[in-house]
Amino acid sequence: MPTLRQRLDTVFLGYFVSHIPITIAVDVLPLLPTEIIPQPLLSLNNFLTTTIGDPFMVIDRTRTDLVWFRSLLTCELFVQLPFFFYAVWMLWTGSSRRHLWLLMYGVHVSTTMAPVLGMLAFGDINRSCDERMALGAMYLPYLLIPLAMIAVSFAECSRMLGFTVDKRKKD
């Protein structure tokens, strides 16, 4: 039977494998001119922004209120996307290096998800409570899975570096 850590590595692997096409087909669209986006991807973006009501993924270069979010998408494209391939390889091969990299990634992404979820919860985005909750549920795994990476990887990095908590009281 697989250990909890092995099961979590499988979850992390699935997260990165699924995040590659999501980044390429969905997340980078607001960064691109509409003229170069294929119609099926424009339709998908339209579904996200009109049917689901995602306020962040709107393709409109005139929206200066979303510059902060577009800067996060730019980081996702140029920093995270290349890392996704490396993370898949590390998790697939069981590399002992994965924990330090997953720890750094988890901290980075958790930090970027805070303003996104904060905006959904408290921002002026003209959405009902139900719409905000649905959008929050859609974005929440992108916070929870990286937080799990932090917990597992911090513990593993600490163990590898020889940091332990001595529960015995010292006199």
Side-chain angles (χ1 to χ4, degrees):
M1 176 177 232
T3 66
L4 176 60
R5 186 157 294 146
Q6 290 168 329
R7 285 189 223 141
L8 285 172
D9 275 356
T10 301
V11 169
F12 301 157
L13 179 62
Y15 170 88
F16 287 116
V17 167
S18 69
H19 213 20
I20 291 168
I22 290 170
T23 298
I24 294 168
V26 177
D27 293 353
V28 301
L29 297 185
L31 302 174
L32 303 173
T34 48
E35 304 81 49
I36 68 167
I37 301 172
Q39 186 55 49
L41 296 181
L42 282 173
S43 298
L44 175 60
N45 180 271
N46 187 52
F47 173 78
L48 287 171
T49 57
T50 57
T51 306
I52 296 177
D54 189 326
F56 305 120
M57 299 307 290
V58 174
I59 300 173
D60 182 355
R61 292 193 172 287
T62 65
R63 298 266 317 261
T64 57
D65 60 321
L66 294 176
V67 169
W68 67 272
F69 185 73
R70 288 198 170 90
S71 66
L72 296 178
L73 294 179
T74 303
C75 277
E76 183 175 354
L77 176 62
F78 293 110
V79 177
Q80 293 181 35
L81 181 61
F83 174 75
F84 295 159
F85 291 94
Y86 186 54
V88 166
W89 175 82
M90 286 187 298
L91 287 159
W92 185 259
T93 62
S95 171
S96 60
R97 296 180 187 157
R98 70 188 182 278
H99 296 292
L100 178 60
W101 289 99
L102 294 179
L103 177 62
M104 291 187 297
Y105 172 81
V107 169
H108 166 70
V109 172
S110 298
T111 304
T112 64
M113 288 309 299
V116 172
L117 292 168
M119 183 64 108
L120 287 174
F122 308 111
D124 185 18
I125 60 169
N126 194 26
R127 301 292 185 277
S128 71
C129 183
D130 287 346
E131 289 170 322
R132 288 172 187 260
M133 293 197 45
L135 288 164
M138 185 176 79
Y139 278 99
L140 195 59
Y142 297 101
L143 173 65
L144 296 179
I145 293 173
L147 285 175
M149 287 179 198
I150 293 170
V152 168
S153 297
F154 182 78
E156 189 61 24
C157 286
S158 296
R159 186 190 65 72
M160 292 171 86
L161 292 171
F163 298 133
T164 60
V165 176
D166 190 354
K167 294 183 181 179
R168 295 175 289 174
K169 276 193 164 184
K170 296 195 177 186
D171 293 71

